[in-house]
Amino acid sequence: MNPPRRARVLGQHFLSKPEILDKMTKYAELSKSDVVLEVGAGRGELTRRLAEKAGLVIAVEIDPRLLGDLRRVAEEYPNVKVVAGDVLRIRPSGFNKVVSNPPYSISLRLMEWLIDSRPELMVLTLQREFASKLVAEPGSRKYLYISVLSKLSYDSRITELIPRRFFNPPPKVDSAIVVMKLKKDAPRLEESWKRILKTLFTRRRQKLRKVLRDLLLEAGETDEELNLLGEDILSRRIYELEPSELLEVARFLEKRLPSIS
């Protein structure tokens, strides 16, 4: 079956391998007590599998040309709720798990929102490069702002690599399945902390002391209190710092740089 013409415009790539959809469902460890969010439900191939295991599936789809097929799935499975529109505008609530093959064009914004929403388990098919950022360790060239958000809140692992030929239309890159489990001690991330972390990662290869000194001086503040953070942290580059250390820096700056926070 050929994909709708709008597929490429919307960043849609339809996963055509049933065994991959079966694996995604298995990784989700579903029971009838689970409410699952599926972003980019398409024609409902994954939706059917989720509905057989979960108590409720919130199937979100932005493309009106796919909604007919999806609503027929909902007629077959009364525990499927079809939501038409942009997930980042609608922002559904009440789900405890996410199992999705979302449009790759919204990966970063989607992950920021999902991490904020704190579902207990997520199983996502993402571009391989983006998936690698979610699991990247400090010191890696792939360790970025989204890596820090992910690692502060989730234990994540890549479970499958998926060749591009398994999709229709094929994306330009290979994909991966990422399984993310919420940490018991995951902090609630303040918006001010996230803005500070984004700012720090614009200079990720510079040493923390220089970055903080520049930010403080630009804001008309003194750098006299920098040593409160300790030389071990100050002497390393931004991308070498552990997520917990970066969170400590964000809290430190929040009190001193209201223009950023």
Side-chain angles (χ1 to χ4, degrees), residues 107-120:
S107 294
L108 178 57
R109 289 179 297 140
L110 179 66
M111 285 311 308
E112 287 182 293
W113 172 64
L114 288 177
I115 290 171
D116 261 356
S117 301
R118 297 167 65 89
E120 65 188 63

Side-chain angles (χ1 to χ4, degrees), residues 80-117:
V80 172
K81 177 183 177 182
V82 176
V83 179
D86 182 346
V87 69
L88 293 174
R89 292 186 178 181
I90 299 167
R91 302 203 170 202
S93 60
F95 55 92
N96 69 307
K97 293 185 178 181
V98 182
V99 187
S100 297
N101 173 28
Y104 292 163
S105 58
I106 65 169
S107 294
L108 178 57
R109 289 179 297 140
L110 179 66
M111 285 311 308
E112 287 182 293
W113 172 64
L114 288 177
I115 290 171
D116 261 356
S117 301

Side-chain angles (χ1 to χ4, degrees), residues 60-74:
V60 183
E61 178 53 55
I62 194 173
D63 191 340
R65 298 177 64 175
L66 302 175
L67 291 172
D69 288 340
L70 196 54
R71 289 185 174 125
R72 281 188 283 276
V73 173

Side-chain angles (χ1 to χ4, degrees), residues 21-261:
L21 300 176
D22 291 340
K23 285 183 177 182
M24 292 180 69
T25 306
K26 182 179 179 181
Y27 289 136
E29 303 172 4
L30 296 174
S31 73
K32 291 301 179 182
S33 64
D34 290 320
V35 177
V36 182
L37 174 65
E38 183 188 3
V39 179
R43 300 187 184 92
E45 289 92 342
L46 178 58
T47 314
R48 290 176 182 275
R49 290 165 168 80
L50 300 176
E52 289 171 358
K53 302 287 186 180
L56 176 65
V57 180
I58 303 170
V60 183
E61 178 53 55
I62 194 173
D63 191 340
R65 298 177 64 175
L66 302 175
L67 291 172
D69 288 340
L70 196 54
R71 289 185 174 125
R72 281 188 283 276
V73 173
E75 290 173 2
E76 184 179 349
Y77 294 92
N79 62 332
V80 172
K81 177 183 177 182
V82 176
V83 179
D86 182 346
V87 69
L88 293 174
R89 292 186 178 181
I90 299 167
R91 302 203 170 202
S93 60
F95 55 92
N96 69 307
K97 293 185 178 181
V98 182
V99 187
S100 297
N101 173 28
Y104 292 163
S105 58
I106 65 169
S107 294
L108 178 57
R109 289 179 297 140
L110 179 66
M111 285 311 308
E112 287 182 293
W113 172 64
L114 288 177
I115 290 171
D116 261 356
S117 301
R118 297 167 65 89
E120 65 188 63
L121 179 65
M122 295 192 276
V123 181
L124 301 166
T125 301
L126 301 165
Q127 285 184 344
R128 181 177 180 178
E129 179 70 16
F130 185 77
S132 68
K133 293 173 184 176
L134 295 178
V135 302
E137 296 294 335
S140 164
R141 66 179 180 83
K142 295 181 180 179
Y143 184 66
L144 303 171
Y145 159 75
I146 195 62
S147 314
V148 176
L149 295 195
S150 171
K151 296 179 84 65
L152 282 170
S153 297
Y154 284 86
D155 289 316
S156 305
R157 60 194 175 100
I158 292 175
T159 61
E160 308 282 338
L161 298 180
I162 308 174
R164 65 196 77 180
R165 68 178 183 276
F166 286 4
F167 293 83
N168 186 23
K172 294 181 179 180
V173 295
D174 293 334
S175 300
I177 296 175
V178 183
V179 177
M180 305 176 67
K181 292 189 177 183
L182 185 66
K183 294 180 177 180
K184 291 182 180 179
D185 59 348
R188 292 277 180 183
L189 299 176
E190 302 287 344
E191 288 301 317
S192 57
W193 300 346
K194 289 189 285 184
R195 284 193 292 272
I196 290 168
L197 290 172
K198 276 187 178 179
T199 299
L200 293 176
F201 270 88
T202 62
R203 300 171 62 175
R204 62 184 294 274
R205 298 198 65 84
Q206 295 182 21
K207 291 188 176 180
L208 180 63
R209 182 187 294 279
K210 174 174 173 50
V211 174
L212 294 190
R213 180 175 287 143
D214 289 349
L215 290 173
L216 289 167
L217 294 179
E218 285 170 13
E221 302 289 334
T222 69
D223 60 356
E224 294 176 358
E225 295 182 309
L226 278 185
N227 289 333
L228 293 174
L229 290 170
E231 184 60 28
D232 179 56
I233 291 179
L234 291 169
S235 62
R236 281 183 281 152
R237 301 180 191 280
I238 301 293
Y239 78 99
E240 295 173 332
L241 295 170
E242 295 287 338
S244 58
E245 293 172 326
L246 286 161
L247 188 57
E248 180 185 352
V249 173
R251 288 171 170 153
F252 171 86
L253 283 179
E254 180 185 32
K255 301 173 183 177
R256 296 161 178 84
L257 292 179
S259 61
I260 293 180
S261 61

